[in-house]
Each structure stands twice: as C-alpha cells, then as structure tokens.
Amino acid sequence: DGDMAEFTRLSEISVCIVDALIRCNFMASMKGLLKNLGIGQGFCREPFLSFNDAELKPIIKEFTAIKEKYNMIHVELFNKLCK
C-alpha cells in the first residue's frame, strides 16, 4: 500500500504540472522555464510566442503553489524556479 500511495501522490503532482503548463501556454512556458534553469532552448517559432520574464510569472506562481501544496521543498526544479 505504501508504494501505491506514493505512486498516486506522484501521479497527482505530474498532472498538476502538466495542467499548469497547458493553462499558461505550454511551449512558451517550457522554453522560458528551461531558460531560467540555464538550459537555453532559443525562441519559439511561429505560430507560438516566446515569453519574457514578466510573462513567466503566472507559470512560476503555479509551480510555487504546487511546491507548497505537495511540500516539494527538496526538489531542485522547484527550488530553482520558485524563489
């Protein structure tokens, strides 16, 4: 049961992350987040738009909420993005 509970918890977190990315323009959010992590992937090509730092605030806010809800304090990804 312990493994199933952890599986369920991790699945719920991954769904929250994907949902947040979709709500905030998946392609632009992913490229912007990767850039903030030091993994530059260039700009989005048309028909997609690239985000500047201000436009990334909604996705970072959503990631911060996920970090807090699931107590993800030891996950490097969240610690780097949610300062």
Side-chain angles (χ1 to χ4, degrees):
D1 284 330
D3 289 341
M4 189 59 165
E6 182 65 2
F7 169 78
T8 301
R9 185 182 81 83
L10 293 173
S11 293
E12 188 175 318
I13 293 167
S14 66
V15 168
C16 288
I17 291 169
V18 171
D19 285 348
L21 289 166
I22 291 170
R23 275 193 301 279
C24 295
N25 184 331
F26 185 86
M27 186 65 69
S29 292
M30 281 301 300
K31 285 194 175 240
L33 293 173
L34 288 170
K35 179 183 172 191
N36 280 358
L37 292 171
I39 309 169
Q41 296 295 309
F43 296 98
C44 292
R45 293 178 188 82
E46 290 188 17
F48 304 104
L49 302 174
S50 294
F51 282 168
N52 60 35
D53 289 340
E55 292 168 316
L56 280 175
K57 286 182 181 179
I59 188 65
I60 291 173
K61 183 177 179 180
E62 293 223 25
F63 271 51
T64 301
I66 294 167
K67 176 185 178 182
E68 291 171 359
K69 179 177 180 179
Y70 294 100
N71 195 28
M72 306 291 288
I73 59 173
H74 301 294
V75 179
E76 187 176 349
L77 167 77
F78 288 101
N79 291 334
K80 285 185 176 183
L81 293 175
C82 308
K83 298 175 184 170

